[in-house]
Amino acid sequence: MPALPASPDELLQLLPEAVVQTDPGWTLTYLNPAWHTLTGHPVEEALGRSLLDFVHPDDTGALRAGMPVFRLRRADAEHRWMRLQLQPKTDAADRVISRQGVLIEITEIGEQVLMEDRQRFLRLLETIDGVVWEAELGVGNTFLSPQVERLFGYAVEEWRADPGFWRAHVHPDDLPEALAIDEAAYHATHSYAYEMSYRLIAKSGQIVWVRDLCRVDVEPGRPNRMIGLMIDVTRQKNTELELVASDNRYALATRGSNDGIWDWNLQTDELHVSERFNEIVGLDQGDTLHPHGWNYLQQLIDPDDRERVQAAYRRHLSGQRPNFSVDFRARHGSGRSVWLNWRGVAQFENGVAVRMAGSLSDLAERGSSYDALTNLPGRPLFRDRLEHALALHQDGASKRGDAPIQADPTRFAVLLLDLDRFKAVNDTLGHHVGDLLLQQVARRLESGVRAIDLVARMSGDEFNVLLESVDHAGATDRAQQIAAALAAPYQIGTHTVSCPASIGVVSSQAGFATTDDYLRAADAAMYRAKSHGLGVCVFSGEDGVAGSGPLPRAK
């Protein structure tokens, strides 16, 4: 009777080489007797334990990643160099259910050579800020560096156990394009390199932008092999997307506001302006680049306003104002005079302003009468009221001649105030607190004047007050009362804020001819009050009358 053929298990028992089988998590599920001969560890004691328990600690990471060469600890505590090329066995869903291979001692190759190669490889992996991977068609990842756990949160074994793991975790919106590139690489007929970017869903659920650099190796008689590097570029990608979104928002906001845009390089004096900027000043076909920025602006600004415009942005550059905003008259291309508002903010490097950017508005087109934040009248309404008060006063003076009237109802005064510590509030407590502070300032100002007076917010933390039917002494007293009211602490939520004001005062006693003369005089007085810590500074008409030249001094 012929002998029955030996079973596969019986044949494995007879092999002189150690046969090793593990589950996807490295637990030993089968060992033939040669394992004991090679390692000295009894088969019964090793089964059910992790193969990694027998591997030198310095080599476990590389073995998990897919490197087949490592040092194994024998029963006598001696480490020997081994080679174990594990082949995966998969289920119907192509998920790895076990790995098996033959364990071979290769110490004779030379321990020193193996150590040097291994250390060189590990150092290389540590220096790469990305996931090094290798994959074959139908097998999945044959190698995956441990960085995959740090970057994406998945264990090496978890990823390598499923050939479809990568595909299952690419963002659905990016998957069709990524699969097309991947399939083309697996079925390529020649070696080549490619690069693609896509989103990967990390174990935490976070979306990670990946830049994948890969090389396809095509060798006759074997499946295509791909070697690649996955790099986390989330921060870079988010920055790019935010810049695009910011540009889109800025472009939309610019079109909506109908303002002109400008960008001034203070180091080279190059001024870039938008086409809308040119339209506002009546230069429809004008150049958008001006190599001598200030010279160009000087030609636009009315000579009587140039000093005031320069003073506004110099205060900002010196750190006295968080930004600048100034109204001035400009000569339109058609020859007429137009009122414009020029505002912006500077960029500082090591305390030095290197760039300024902002917008230019046609005040006639803006037409805003009230400030949305404080619900106070805005600049246009204040100018109209001041022009009306000045016209009444001049008309009354012409009728009186040289005869003074003690109780002249047309007398008035202009107060310009600026908050002394508003920038510090914004910087330390945030703009939301700054906005609430401005609202409280507005209410205190309204409560500190009469019904016939007018309080207006001009820009930023700058307010104007028009006092009517008031003489020089009465205007001074009122300014002192307002200064005291504003100096009292403000309670904003949990914050107690102190933010006094500097106030410049000019009365109709100065005898100026235009509203701009009064505004400039009040601004000069306010600036002196701020620079000398006076609180209130009164402009005296006894020193002369403002004209096109330098302003009389404040005192």
Side-chain angles (χ1 to χ4, degrees), residues 3 7 30 35 43 127 134 157-158 177 199 222-223 313 337 345 357 374 380 390 399 401 490 504 515:
S7 67
Y30 176 84
W35 162 268
V43 171
T127 61
E134 180 184 65
E157 294 82 2
E158 183 180 7
E177 183 178 356
R199 286 164 290 181
R222 62 167 293 172
Y313 75 76
S337 180
V345 66
T374 61
L390 178 59
K399 292 178 180 179
Y490 299 83
T515 58

Side-chain angles (χ1 to χ4, degrees), residues 25 31 78 98 141 150 186 281-282 317 326 368 397 427 431 446 462 491 508 551:
L31 296 168
E78 182 182 356
S98 66
N141 285 104
R150 176 175 60 83
Y186 272 128
V281 297
L317 296 185
V326 60
S368 173
D427 291 345
H431 290 277
E446 287 180 319
E462 183 178 291
Q491 192 63 40
S508 53
L551 284 171

Side-chain angles (χ1 to χ4, degrees), residues 72-195:
L72 185 139
R73 177 177 51 78
R74 289 170 43 87
D76 59 6
E78 182 182 356
H79 285 89
R80 298 287 186 89
W81 282 99
M82 302 286 177
R83 177 179 179 85
L84 178 61
Q85 185 72 58
L86 292 172
Q87 300 298 324
K89 181 180 180 181
T90 59
D91 59 13
D94 283 336
R95 290 175 300 214
V96 175
I97 56 176
S98 66
R99 289 190 176 93
Q100 48 275 326
V102 176
L103 185 67
I104 302 172
E105 183 177 348
I106 56 173
T107 305
E108 63 271 13
I109 295 177
E111 183 171 347
Q112 185 62 33
V113 174
L114 290 171
M115 282 290 293
E116 290 177 358
D117 289 344
R118 173 50 56 91
Q119 294 303 320
R120 188 179 301 114
F121 173 74
L122 292 176
R123 284 196 300 271
L124 176 62
L125 281 185
E126 291 173 356
T127 61
I128 297 175
D129 189 18
V131 179
V132 179
W133 58 271
E134 180 184 65
E136 287 187 8
L137 181 63
V139 177
N141 285 104
T142 55
F143 178 84
L144 198 66
S145 67
Q147 283 91 331
V148 71
E149 299 177 352
R150 176 175 60 83
L151 294 181
F152 307 123
Y154 299 108
V156 171
E157 294 82 2
E158 183 180 7
W159 189 301
R160 291 186 61 205
D162 184 1
F165 191 91
W166 173 80
R167 300 183 183 202
H169 291 82
V170 173
H171 193 284
D173 293 345
D174 300 336
L175 185 59
E177 183 178 356
L179 282 181
I181 296 173
D182 196 50
E183 289 294 325
Y186 272 128
H187 296 92
T189 57
H190 63 279
S191 297
Y192 72 99
Y194 72 85
E195 174 184 339

Side-chain angles (χ1 to χ4, degrees), residues 26 43 50 147 161 173 195 223 232 263 272 306 316 321 325 341 347 350 356 358 372 450 538:
W26 299 102
V43 171
S50 172
Q147 283 91 331
D173 293 345
E195 174 184 339
D232 180 355
D263 185 344
H272 293 260
R306 288 175 187 168
H316 172 53
R321 300 280 180 89
S325 177
N341 174 254
Q347 174 186 341
N350 299 321
M356 296 174 72
R450 302 160 299 171
V538 180

Side-chain angles (χ1 to χ4, degrees), residues 353-522:
V354 297
R355 176 185 174 191
M356 296 174 72
S359 59
L360 184 78
S361 304
D362 187 328
L363 289 177
E365 291 183 358
R366 187 191 292 182
S368 173
S369 297
Y370 278 85
D371 171 57
L373 177 64
T374 61
N375 202 33
L376 290 177
R379 187 186 304 271
L381 197 151
F382 184 86
R383 293 184 64 87
D384 288 344
R385 281 280 300 272
L386 178 57
E387 287 178 1
H388 180 68
L390 178 59
L392 287 177
H393 183 67
Q394 290 173 336
D395 182 63
S398 65
K399 292 178 180 179
R400 290 192 308 271
D402 295 331
I405 299 178
Q406 296 299 321
D408 181 6
T410 69
R411 288 181 294 186
F412 65 89
V414 176
L415 278 59
L416 188 150
L417 64 95
D418 183 271
L419 303 180
D420 293 336
R421 301 171 186 167
F422 184 70
K423 182 177 184 299
V425 173
N426 268 344
D427 291 345
T428 58
L429 302 180
H431 290 277
H432 175 66
V433 174
D435 288 346
L436 295 176
L437 172 62
L438 292 175
Q439 292 173 344
Q440 291 197 27
V441 169
R443 302 293 79 80
R444 290 191 186 184
L445 286 173
E446 287 180 319
S447 64
V449 299
R450 302 160 299 171
I452 62 172
D453 301 327
L454 177 69
V455 178
R457 183 188 179 200
M458 305 302 277
S459 64
D461 59 331
E462 183 178 291
F463 297 80
N464 270 44
V465 179
L466 176 62
L467 302 176
E468 299 196 46
S469 297
V470 65
D471 60 15
H472 186 77
T476 303
D477 290 341
R478 181 71 63 176
Q480 295 286 0
Q481 294 169 15
I482 291 174
L486 297 182
Y490 299 83
Q491 192 63 40
I492 303 176
T494 59
H495 303 290
T496 301
V497 178
S498 177
C499 193
S502 295
I503 303 177
V505 183
V506 58
S507 70
S508 53
Q509 176 180 313
F512 293 141
T514 68
T515 58
D516 293 308
D517 291 332
Y518 281 98
L519 291 173
R520 284 190 292 170

